[in-house]
Amino acid sequence: MSLLTSPAEFTIKRPAFVRTSAIRWVFSHVTRHNWIILMVFLGAFGNAALAAMVPVLVGDAFNAMLQPLPDVSVLLPLALLIGGTQVVRGVLQLGRNFGAELLGQRLEAEIRDELYISLLGKSMTFHSLQPVGDTMARATNDVREINLMFNPGMNLVIGSFFFLVMPILAAPRYHPALLITPVLFAIAYFASLARYLQNLQPISDEVRAAFGNMNSHLSESLDGVETVKGAAQENAEVERFVVNAKRVRDAFITQGDTEARFIAFLLYGIAIAGGLTHALFLFREGLLNTGQVIAYFGLLRMLDFPTFTSTWAYTQVSMGLASARRILELLNRKTDLDQNTAGHTGEMKGEIEFKNINFAYPDGSVVLENISFKVKPGQTVAVVGQTGAGKTSLVRLLNRTYDVTSGQVLVDGIDVREWNLASLRSQISMIEQDIFLFSRSISDNLAFGKPGATQDEVESAAKAAQAHEFIETFEKSYQTVIGERGVTLSGGQRQRLALGRAFLTDPHILILDDSTSAIDSATEDLIQRAISAAAKGRTTFIITHRLSQIRWADLILVLRKGRIAAMGTHDELMQTSDAYSRIFQE
Ligand code: DCP
Ligand code: MG
């Protein structure tokens, strides 16, 4: 059995990115695209430099015209120069925008992959504690926010930064004192920006968290829409949703409020007025001429770009970082599962031993207590007990869906934690209590654990599972696509598909959880035959309430409130165990 052919969580390679802080993590993604960054910076710098050419050249033109004998012939070359620089500027601007967009899209795709791989690699402990809707919000919207952080966010931040720098570079050309206004503006701008971003951070975090919360509620009520409708609870659900939606709205309003308080516009007004006054003062002293005053004023007007973009471009960056923190938090959350790639990988014989195990769910009380038993290879074990007794929990310890709290589960004499996880799981097949079918074709669903299976293999597995007949009744037979969550199939049909799945993977240990509870007796007979065939030659666990299936088990475990109340064969137990015989009297 090849382990490498199965695309299971634990065989997927993890990309190595720095995951110590959100900024470093994003940075470690960005630095994989150095040439794009170079393109953005060159484009942004060139764009600003050529934009500064306009007021400078216009000032020159004024001076030429204000001569006692104006020389009109200089106007045409100046006009052509202005035109030419602006064409080149357009190209550079395109480069900057294109680069930023490319970077944003690439990062979005990369981070989405990274997150998906990580999510698949996480343990059930993680998944049972993490709401699906919240994960979905992070995997879609938050990842999207990182894209937007680069374009338009960083694109405009970098672009406007050079617009801030140009007046500082060009002003001394006319008079060194003219540096005062753009330099003071820059200092005030960054100081107020730092405060603004500080205020904004908790608000951005709240916006993203409120959104995730709304999403997880939405996905839950859609998931459970049948229950909601069945209990006529639509109104209550809507009310609950409105509360969540309000929280999102309030968070956005607070954000808008904070944005509105950002004083960049005030600074800009002061800079323009102060700078012009200063220049006119120098003009009166004879230190500047008219053309220079005009050019300087034009340069100061370049500050409007950083002013106008500042509020929302930095908000976008702030939102992007908030999202990055949320994604990173998910990536870094402990998986609680050691995949043990260096562990034991041999072919399984199917001998099982539970040695004094205790088990509790991560946030719950003790579910299984002091359980010990042994199973020889090829034997069939029936697990019986009332609902909530811990039957499902018990078998979940075998394939390490969860790990024991204390004690040991041994397969072939080796602790399951010592096994290579991929090897362990690929040799154990579990048919869950709630059978999950993907919205793919029946054929794909059957071959889920063995993607390369041929049509013949799929069909013979379906036949062995007594599923072939009903599949044939569908118009497209094996190519029928199953509706969302398998709603187009009945309980019994799903169980037989799940059995077919198990046949295909040909496991050494097979676990059937409540596999025939919802079935009429004719179908039960079919399934009974399928299970008998499936159990042949492998160690099998059956969790069921049906006497017909329990009877021929080699070992019967009677669970009661997480403890073994009795164990043995049917005949033994009928004589010795009250707990056992009581189950059949219910
Ligand atoms: N439990 C829990 N967290 C989970 C699953 C179960 O806290 N993720 C609790 C609920 C029960 C106990 O564990 O009190 C045992 O649950 P099982 O699912 O193991 O019970 P059974 O499979 O025996 O019950 P059923 O026959 O209803 O399937
Ligand atoms: Mg159960």
Side-chain angles (χ1 to χ4, degrees), residues 128 361 363-365 367 385-394 396 402 433 513-514 543 545 559:
S128 51
Y361 282 101
D363 55 346
S365 51
V367 172
Q386 278 157 352
T387 176
K391 306 182 292 294
T392 302
S393 310
L394 180 87
R396 278 178 167 168
Y402 294 94
Q433 201 161 351
D513 193 348
D514 257 353
I543 299 175
H545 297 295
L559 280 189

Side-chain angles (χ1 to χ4, degrees), residues 82-153:
I82 291 179
T85 54
Q86 297 318 293
V87 171
V88 177
R89 187 186 154 197
V91 174
L92 289 170
Q93 205 169 19
L94 181 78
R96 186 196 77 195
N97 287 336
F98 180 73
E101 182 65 21
L102 199 63
L103 194 59
Q105 297 294 353
R106 287 206 175 169
L107 251 56
E108 181 178 349
E110 265 176 29
I111 287 173
R112 196 160 271 158
D113 283 352
E114 187 186 355
L115 182 59
Y116 185 62
I117 290 170
S118 161
L119 285 175
L120 281 192
K122 303 264 187 205
S123 67
M124 273 315 293
T125 308
F126 167 88
H127 284 290
S128 51
L129 294 178
Q130 167 66 19
V132 176
D134 184 61
T135 309
M136 291 288 287
R138 296 187 204 211
T140 54
N141 285 76
D142 282 315
V143 175
R144 177 88 191 129
E145 285 293 333
I146 291 185
N147 182 344
L148 296 178
M149 168 164 75
F150 283 91
N151 196 28

Side-chain angles (χ1 to χ4, degrees), residues 389-436:
K391 306 182 292 294
T392 302
S393 310
L394 180 87
V395 293
R396 278 178 167 168
L397 301 177
L398 267 172
N399 70 354
R400 292 191 65 201
T401 307
Y402 294 94
D403 277 336
V404 294
T405 314
S406 68
Q408 276 187 309
V409 176
L410 307 165
V411 171
D412 293 358
I414 298 163
D415 190 313
V416 285
R417 286 165 295 192
E418 303 283 310
W419 277 80
N420 170 317
L421 189 64
S423 176
L424 179 81
R425 287 193 176 166
S426 62
Q427 302 187 65
I428 298 178
S429 185
M430 170 126 82
I431 297 180
E432 298 274 352
Q433 201 161 351
D434 308 308
I435 294 158
F436 188 85

Side-chain angles (χ1 to χ4, degrees), residues 156-229:
L156 293 179
V157 166
I158 294 167
S160 65
F161 172 77
F162 287 115
F163 270 65
L164 198 67
V165 169
M166 282 306 151
I168 297 175
L169 292 183
R173 191 171 176 244
Y174 304 115
H175 194 280
L178 291 178
L179 267 177
I180 294 176
T181 304
V183 166
L184 282 183
F185 176 83
I187 293 172
Y189 179 85
F190 284 118
S192 61
L193 191 62
R195 254 199 61 188
Y196 171 65
L197 288 178
Q198 218 171 24
N199 291 339
L200 199 61
Q201 179 179 331
I203 299 166
S204 305
D205 286 341
E206 166 62 11
V207 167
R208 301 313 313 156
F211 187 83
N213 179 49
M214 180 179 76
N215 235 39
S216 58
H217 177 250
L218 180 67
S219 90
E220 230 162 67
S221 52
L222 286 180
D223 223 23
V225 70
E226 232 177 298
T227 314
V228 173
K229 282 182 179 295

Side-chain angles (χ1 to χ4, degrees), residues 310-552:
S310 59
T311 49
W312 55 275
Y314 285 97
T315 308
Q316 201 77 67
V317 173
S318 179
M319 292 285 269
L321 285 177
S323 288
R325 278 191 290 275
R326 278 163 55 78
I327 296 168
L328 192 64
E329 189 269 329
L330 209 56
L331 289 173
N332 279 342
R333 195 128 21 111
K334 211 168 160 275
T335 72
D336 276 322
L337 192 72
D338 171 21
Q339 313 198 327
N340 201 0
T341 42
H344 182 76
T345 55
E347 178 149 337
M348 213 175 254
K349 290 198 295 286
E351 185 187 286
I352 293 165
E353 181 176 1
F354 277 61
K355 229 181 189 175
N356 272 325
I357 70 106
N358 287 291
F359 172 67
Y361 282 101
D363 55 346
S365 51
V366 176
V367 172
L368 294 169
E369 249 177 300
N370 204 10
I371 301 227
S372 299
F373 63 90
K374 275 187 190 178
V375 185
K376 294 198 188 82
Q379 283 192 328
T380 297
V381 183
V383 185
V384 299
Q386 278 157 352
T387 176
K391 306 182 292 294
T392 302
S393 310
L394 180 87
V395 293
R396 278 178 167 168
L397 301 177
L398 267 172
N399 70 354
R400 292 191 65 201
T401 307
Y402 294 94
D403 277 336
V404 294
T405 314
S406 68
Q408 276 187 309
V409 176
L410 307 165
V411 171
D412 293 358
I414 298 163
D415 190 313
V416 285
R417 286 165 295 192
E418 303 283 310
W419 277 80
N420 170 317
L421 189 64
S423 176
L424 179 81
R425 287 193 176 166
S426 62
Q427 302 187 65
I428 298 178
S429 185
M430 170 126 82
I431 297 180
E432 298 274 352
Q433 201 161 351
D434 308 308
I435 294 158
F436 188 85
L437 298 176
F438 295 90
S439 314
R440 306 175 190 165
S441 70
I442 288 187
S443 185
D444 285 351
N445 266 291
L446 280 165
F448 186 72
K450 193 181 179 189
T454 64
Q455 185 60 26
D456 277 351
E457 284 177 298
V458 170
E459 269 185 43
S460 62
K463 276 179 189 149
Q466 310 287 332
H468 181 71
E469 254 172 60
F470 85 79
I471 294 172
E472 290 278 85
T473 64
F474 293 127
E475 204 177 310
K476 291 192 192 154
S477 84
Y478 283 85
Q479 296 316 313
T480 311
V481 174
I482 293 169
E484 194 84 349
R485 297 200 163 233
V487 283
T488 57
L489 293 188
S490 74
Q493 289 169 333
R494 284 155 67 152
Q495 279 164 349
R496 279 175 283 165
L497 279 196
L499 265 175
R501 238 185 221 171
F503 272 113
L504 256 183
T505 50
D506 193 21
H508 294 263
I509 296 176
L510 177 66
I511 300 163
L512 302 158
D513 193 348
D514 257 353
S515 51
T516 58
S517 56
I519 290 174
D520 57 277
S521 56
T523 316
E524 193 195 335
D525 197 46
L526 282 177
I527 294 204
Q528 178 63 49
R529 243 182 287 157
I531 291 177
S532 307
K536 219 163 267 159
R538 47 186 131 240
T539 312
T540 308
F541 275 75
I542 301 178
I543 299 175
T544 177
H545 297 295
R546 289 169 193 276
L547 186 54
S548 60
Q549 285 174 35
I550 299 167
R551 217 174 219 141
W552 46 271

